[in-house]
Amino acid sequence: MTQTTAAPPQAVRTAPASVRDRAVKRRRVLDILDTSGKDALLLTTHTALAWYLDGSRVHISLAGDPIAALLVDRSGDHLVTFNNEAGRIAAEELPEGVALHSVPWYGNLHQAAADVGSVPGGSLLAEADAATELRAARQQLLPAESARYARLSADVAAIMTDVLSTARPETTEFELASALAARVVSVGAEPLVLLCNGSSRSGFRHPLATHAPLGRRAMAVICARRDGLVANITRWARFDAGTPEERDAESRIAAVEADIFDATVPGARLDRIFAEIQAAYTRHGFGADQWEQHHQGGPAGYAGRDPRVTAAATDTVVPGQAFTWNPSGPGVKIEDTVQLTENGLQVLTVDPRWPATTVNGLDRPATLQL
């Protein structure tokens, strides 16, 4: 294994990491080591690596494993990647103060990372064994990453407005999805999820696009990642006035979401918010089984949901934490990325051009009439 020290001169991207934010994150990880009595922590997943490195890109394939692993010990941070990735990592993704090491492209990445620590033979904490503690460390977003998240979320909301406002009934789902994908990539983000349905497929809650035309109404969903953070958004558009049943369901699903927002306060446990979600469906006329038809969302940030909320999730909500709740019913869904601030929930995926309606004092997206 070799240590990489020089970056190629052709770099056009600068690592987004904040020195101040990274210092806080390192302290949080050292606290985990102190509590566990271990000498080092090995980070190996996209979520943990992007969080700790504060936005570095450690992927090639969106469906593949990370092309780096990172060992954190009390002497410093050691990032290990393959030799064919090291030049780009050094030039464009390496935060200040992180030592970069490379192994042959056919080498064992995790074993190499485990071997670079300052305590040969020291006790190593695997990421999986610290999953709960690392999730807690990620909860409270720090100033620089909060600012990056807000910019990404605003970009994604603007993309929805731009693309959906040009849609027509004859536009196909694939055409709409491809236009969304092009715009997401154009702002330097990665489209992790793109969903679209027209009126003929509005019963599907995770509708992968097809050649079907949009018809009289359409839903689009984007989950986009930039600098490690994932923004999530759903929007609806229609080409007629909508039916009374549709308009009523839209109003009621927004009321379900408002109840979830009211329950998302510092100190609340996720399992208790989940119980409120279940009750909200019944309270607003959707039936007691609707929560079973689709996941309900949860904390957001460096994963699409971190974690998805269930009755088994006992994490406690903290200030500065981000969420994406996504209640849904037959033919309706509402979804935005929000952050819990000292003034309450702030919607991040917002574009002032999109039509809105006030629900419980908060502007929420209405269906775009085309």
Side-chain angles (χ1 to χ4, degrees):
M1 181 164 59
T2 60
Q3 183 163 350
T4 301
T5 57
Q10 69 270 23
V12 294
R13 168 183 158 92
T14 301
S18 158
V19 173
R20 289 186 178 182
D21 283 9
R22 284 212 65 249
V24 175
K25 293 178 181 184
R26 177 166 168 79
R27 182 66 262 167
R28 291 176 183 176
V29 169
L30 291 179
D31 287 344
I32 293 173
L33 288 179
D34 291 342
T35 300
S36 66
K38 301 292 187 179
D39 296 313
L41 172 64
L42 181 62
L43 301 179
T44 56
T45 68
H46 286 290
T47 299
L49 288 164
W51 167 73
Y52 189 72
L53 295 170
D54 207 31
S56 297
R57 298 178 298 182
V58 291
H59 72 279
I60 296 300
S61 166
L62 291 177
D65 294 330
I67 47 78
L70 188 137
L71 186 114
V72 182
D73 65 14
R74 292 177 178 83
S75 72
D77 300 327
H78 301 270
L79 185 67
V80 180
T81 190
F82 298 115
N83 63 314
N84 57 317
E85 308 292 351
R88 178 184 61 82
I89 293 289
E92 300 175 345
E93 308 294 343
L94 191 67
E96 181 179 331
V98 177
L100 181 63
H101 310 261
S102 66
V103 295
W105 60 264
Y106 51 83
N108 186 317
L109 190 65
H110 294 177
Q111 186 58 55
D115 291 340
V116 299
S118 62
V119 184
S123 56
L124 183 66
L125 181 62
E127 181 183 326
D129 294 329
T132 300
E133 293 81 1
L134 283 167
R135 193 168 65 245
R138 292 191 295 268
Q139 284 181 294
Q140 186 177 54
L141 297 181
L142 297 166
E145 63 189 345
S146 293
R148 292 200 305 271
Y149 208 9
R151 290 193 295 270
L152 169 63
S153 297
D155 284 347
V156 170
I159 288 168
M160 278 291 205
T161 303
D162 291 343
V163 173
L164 283 176
S165 64
T166 66
R168 297 294 179 264
E170 62 273 17
T171 302
T172 69
E173 295 169 350
F174 273 136
E175 288 170 340
L176 188 66
S178 64
L180 292 170
R183 287 293 307 278
V184 168
V185 174
S186 76
V187 298
E190 299 136 13
L192 301 185
V193 177
L194 285 174
L195 303 177
C196 178
N197 64 23
S199 54
S200 68
R201 303 176 64 242
S202 61
F204 299 129
R205 307 211 187 185
H206 273 165
L208 295 174
T210 72
H211 288 293
L214 299 182
R216 51 176 296 270
R217 69 193 294 254
M219 179 187 76
V221 178
I222 297 174
C223 301
R225 181 176 66 190
R226 188 171 69 198
D227 299 334
L229 292 158
V230 182
N232 313 286
I233 183 173
T234 294
R235 291 291 184 266
W236 289 83
R238 63 177 163 231
F239 303 95
D240 60 19
T243 68
E245 293 78 14
E246 286 168 354
R247 295 193 298 272
D248 175 65
E250 290 165 359
S251 175
R252 289 186 290 114
I253 204 65
V256 172
E257 183 197 54
D259 288 352
I260 303 172
F261 283 170
D262 283 346
T264 308
V265 295
R269 266 183 25 179
L270 293 184
D271 56 343
R272 293 172 184 166
I273 298 177
F274 186 62
E276 176 60 28
I277 292 171
Q278 294 170 301
Y281 278 105
T282 301
R283 189 159 50 239
H284 297 290
F286 282 102
D289 67 335
Q290 278 304 307
W291 66 269
E292 299 186 62
Q293 307 308 311
H294 188 272
H295 80 83
Q296 302 302 307
Y302 288 90
R305 305 296 189 274
D306 197 18
R308 286 184 181 180
V309 67
T310 67
T314 57
D315 301 23
T316 299
V317 173
V318 301
Q321 192 170 8
F323 297 86
T324 300
W325 301 111
N326 51 261
S328 65
V332 289
K333 178 187 176 189
I334 189 167
E335 177 182 27
D336 271 306
T337 302
V338 303
Q339 187 173 17
L340 186 57
T341 72
E342 60 184 13
N343 298 317
L345 284 175
Q346 176 186 356
V347 182
L348 302 182
T349 42
V350 63
D351 180 357
R353 299 173 299 163
W354 190 272
T357 183
T358 301
V359 181
N360 200 18
L362 193 66
D363 284 348
R364 303 304 301 124
T367 296
L368 179 65
Q369 298 282 163
L370 294 170

